[in-house]
Amino acid sequence: MMGAVIRNTANPTMLDAGYKVNVIPTSATAHVDGRFLPGYEDEFFETIAELCGEGIERSFLSHQQPWETPYDGDLVEAMSRCLLAEDPGARVAPYLMSGGTDAKHFNKLGLRSYGFSPLRLPADLDFTALFHGVDERVPVDGLEFGARVLDRFLEQI
């Protein structure tokens, strides 16, 4: 989970070739979920081109720009206050989210946006192993914690 927020990533997620088991395919297609860090788009595409080599055609199904929002201001302070009110031992820090978000559209308009989904998980829960899996889940008390933090946050803003 942390690897995707400290370096560019590329994961082949769909492969297709041929139409029959006993016929050598004349072409093959691969879909790659590639994500690059803000400011590293050129490096990402240079690496992909180098890995693909000559004669490989590349195209996009989706090409979205990464973006950053400054980590300061009233909303950041309110998020921190509300989280610390429910968990005084919490460590509040900015985080680069590796997933997609509709907030990129607000960025084009010059508006700041932040993801804020407070969730307290037990230390022994391997959440990343459950993420997007058939058994993805969180404990009820973790959700209740998040609801209390968000309720407090909405009262303050």
Side-chain angles (χ1 to χ4, degrees):
M1 186 169 185
M2 289 303 296
V5 300
I6 61 172
R7 66 176 179 268
N8 297 332
T9 62
N11 295 294
T13 56
M14 295 170 57
L15 303 172
D16 185 37
Y19 69 96
K20 201 171 178 188
V21 74
N22 65 341
V23 176
I24 297 173
T26 57
S27 65
T29 302
H31 288 105
V32 177
D33 179 17
R35 299 172 191 223
F36 46 89
L37 299 174
Y40 289 86
E41 181 177 7
D42 291 342
E43 176 185 295
F44 174 79
F45 288 115
E46 288 168 9
T47 302
I48 294 296
E50 182 181 319
L51 291 170
C52 288
E54 301 281 328
I56 303 297
E57 180 184 331
R58 295 179 309 276
S59 62
F60 299 105
L61 292 178
S62 175
H63 181 180
Q64 300 176 13
Q65 297 297 319
W67 57 275
E68 295 178 83
T69 297
Y71 188 69
D72 60 14
D74 294 341
L75 282 177
V76 171
E77 291 172 17
M79 288 185 286
S80 296
R81 258 192 328 272
C82 296
L83 185 61
L84 291 169
E86 289 294 327
D87 185 358
R91 293 190 183 127
V92 181
Y95 179 77
L96 177 65
M97 186 177 79
S98 63
T101 172
D102 290 335
K104 63 188 162 289
H105 303 296
F106 296 116
N107 187 52
K108 292 176 188 175
L109 298 171
L111 302 172
R112 286 185 179 193
S113 55
Y114 300 92
F116 183 49
S117 301
L119 180 66
R120 187 171 50 195
L121 300 173
D124 63 341
L125 178 68
D126 188 2
F127 180 68
T128 56
L130 300 172
F131 193 72
H132 284 332
V134 295
D135 197 21
E136 182 176 10
R137 66 189 183 285
V138 295
V140 171
D141 62 329
L143 289 176
E144 290 171 342
F145 167 84
R148 287 192 309 271
V149 174
L150 288 172
D151 188 51
R152 187 183 297 268
F153 175 73
L154 291 172
E155 286 177 358
Q156 289 190 23
I157 58 169

